[in-house]
Amino acid sequence: MNKKRNSMRMINMVVDFIHIGICIAIIALAVVVFFRPMQNTECYPVIFFLAAVLNFTSAYARMNRFRLNRNHSASGIAVLVLGILFFILAVISGVSIWG
Protein backbone atom coordinates (compact mmCIF):
# COMPACT_ATOMS: atom_id res chain seq x y z
CA MET A 1 0.00 0.00 0.00
CA ASN A 2 2.88 2.37 0.73
CA LYS A 3 4.41 1.73 -2.69
CA LYS A 4 1.14 2.69 -4.36
CA ARG A 5 0.87 5.82 -2.24
CA ASN A 6 4.48 6.79 -2.98
CA SER A 7 4.02 6.25 -6.71
CA MET A 8 0.89 8.41 -6.67
CA ARG A 9 2.81 11.16 -4.85
CA MET A 10 5.59 10.92 -7.43
CA ILE A 11 3.10 11.12 -10.31
CA ASN A 12 1.38 14.11 -8.70
CA MET A 13 4.72 15.84 -8.18
CA VAL A 14 5.74 15.30 -11.82
CA VAL A 15 2.35 16.56 -13.02
CA ASP A 16 2.72 19.65 -10.82
CA PHE A 17 6.16 20.41 -12.28
CA ILE A 18 4.82 19.94 -15.81
CA HIS A 19 1.95 22.32 -15.01
CA ILE A 20 4.31 24.95 -13.61
CA GLY A 21 6.65 24.77 -16.59
CA ILE A 22 3.90 24.85 -19.20
CA CYS A 23 2.07 27.70 -17.45
CA ILE A 24 5.24 29.79 -17.35
CA ALA A 25 5.81 29.12 -21.06
CA ILE A 26 2.21 30.01 -21.95
CA ILE A 27 2.35 33.23 -19.95
CA ALA A 28 5.67 34.22 -21.56
CA LEU A 29 4.32 33.55 -25.05
CA ALA A 30 1.09 35.42 -24.28
CA VAL A 31 3.06 38.47 -23.14
CA VAL A 32 5.16 38.36 -26.33
CA VAL A 33 2.03 38.07 -28.48
CA PHE A 34 0.25 40.80 -26.53
CA PHE A 35 2.86 43.44 -27.35
CA ARG A 36 3.22 42.61 -31.07
CA PRO A 37 0.35 40.36 -32.17
CA MET A 38 0.82 40.69 -35.94
CA GLN A 39 4.58 40.07 -35.85
CA ASN A 40 4.31 37.03 -33.55
CA THR A 41 1.53 35.04 -35.19
CA GLU A 42 3.67 31.89 -35.13
CA CYS A 43 3.24 31.79 -31.34
CA TYR A 44 -0.50 31.07 -31.50
CA PRO A 45 -0.22 27.38 -32.50
CA VAL A 46 2.45 26.89 -29.85
CA ILE A 47 0.20 28.41 -27.18
CA PHE A 48 -2.70 26.16 -28.21
CA PHE A 49 -0.43 23.11 -28.29
CA LEU A 50 0.92 23.86 -24.81
CA ALA A 51 -2.65 24.32 -23.55
CA ALA A 52 -3.52 20.92 -25.03
CA VAL A 53 -0.55 19.29 -23.29
CA LEU A 54 -1.57 21.00 -20.04
CA ASN A 55 -5.08 19.59 -20.33
CA PHE A 56 -3.81 16.12 -21.27
CA THR A 57 -1.63 15.98 -18.17
CA SER A 58 -4.53 17.21 -16.04
CA ALA A 59 -6.81 14.57 -17.53
CA TYR A 60 -4.22 11.87 -16.89
CA ALA A 61 -3.80 12.97 -13.29
CA ARG A 62 -7.56 13.11 -12.67
CA MET A 63 -8.28 9.77 -14.29
CA ASN A 64 -5.34 8.11 -12.56
CA ARG A 65 -6.23 9.56 -9.17
CA PHE A 66 -9.90 8.63 -9.30
CA ARG A 67 -9.99 5.36 -11.20
CA LEU A 68 -12.81 3.88 -9.15
CA ASN A 69 -14.94 6.99 -8.67
CA ARG A 70 -17.04 7.61 -11.79
CA ASN A 71 -17.88 11.24 -10.98
CA HIS A 72 -14.24 12.28 -10.97
CA SER A 73 -13.54 10.13 -14.02
CA ALA A 74 -16.17 12.13 -15.87
CA SER A 75 -14.33 15.34 -15.02
CA GLY A 76 -11.13 13.74 -16.31
CA ILE A 77 -12.87 12.87 -19.57
CA ALA A 78 -14.18 16.45 -19.84
CA VAL A 79 -10.65 17.81 -19.42
CA LEU A 80 -9.43 15.29 -22.01
CA VAL A 81 -12.04 16.51 -24.50
CA LEU A 82 -10.96 20.09 -23.83
CA GLY A 83 -7.35 19.06 -24.50
CA ILE A 84 -8.41 17.49 -27.80
CA LEU A 85 -10.17 20.73 -28.77
CA PHE A 86 -7.04 22.74 -27.98
CA PHE A 87 -4.97 20.31 -30.03
CA ILE A 88 -7.35 20.71 -32.98
CA LEU A 89 -7.07 24.50 -32.62
CA ALA A 90 -3.28 24.18 -32.61
CA VAL A 91 -3.35 22.15 -35.82
CA ILE A 92 -5.80 24.50 -37.55
CA SER A 93 -3.90 27.62 -36.56
CA GLY A 94 -0.57 26.01 -37.47
CA VAL A 95 -1.82 25.04 -40.92
CA SER A 96 -3.29 28.49 -41.52
CA ILE A 97 -0.18 30.34 -40.36
CA TRP A 98 2.64 28.09 -41.58
CA GLY A 99 0.88 26.49 -44.56
Side-chain angles (χ1 to χ4, degrees):
M1 194 64 145
N2 282 337
K3 281 188 174 185
K4 185 176 180 181
R5 188 177 301 158
N6 286 338
S7 68
M8 288 299 291
R9 283 184 186 159
M10 186 61 118
I11 289 171
N12 288 337
M13 188 174 71
V14 169
V15 168
D16 286 342
F17 281 126
I18 290 171
H19 281 143
I20 291 169
I22 290 175
C23 286
I24 289 171
I26 289 173
I27 290 170
L29 287 171
V31 167
V32 167
V33 168
F34 179 74
F35 287 119
R36 301 186 78 172
M38 297 309 288
Q39 288 79 16
N40 296 315
T41 57
E42 65 275 351
C43 292
Y44 291 114
V46 177
I47 291 171
F48 287 130
F49 179 74
L50 289 174
V53 171
L54 187 69
N55 281 300
F56 289 147
T57 56
S58 293
Y60 172 77
R62 284 182 188 217
M63 293 175 92
N64 193 25
R65 192 177 308 140
F66 303 110
R67 272 185 248 170
L68 300 176
N69 193 344
R70 289 183 176 225
N71 293 337
H72 295 292
S73 266
S75 69
I77 291 171
V79 173
L80 181 66
V81 169
L82 187 62
I84 291 170
L85 290 175
F86 276 124
F87 184 74
I88 291 170
L89 280 173
V91 170
I92 291 171
S93 64
V95 167
S96 66
I97 290 172
W98 296 321

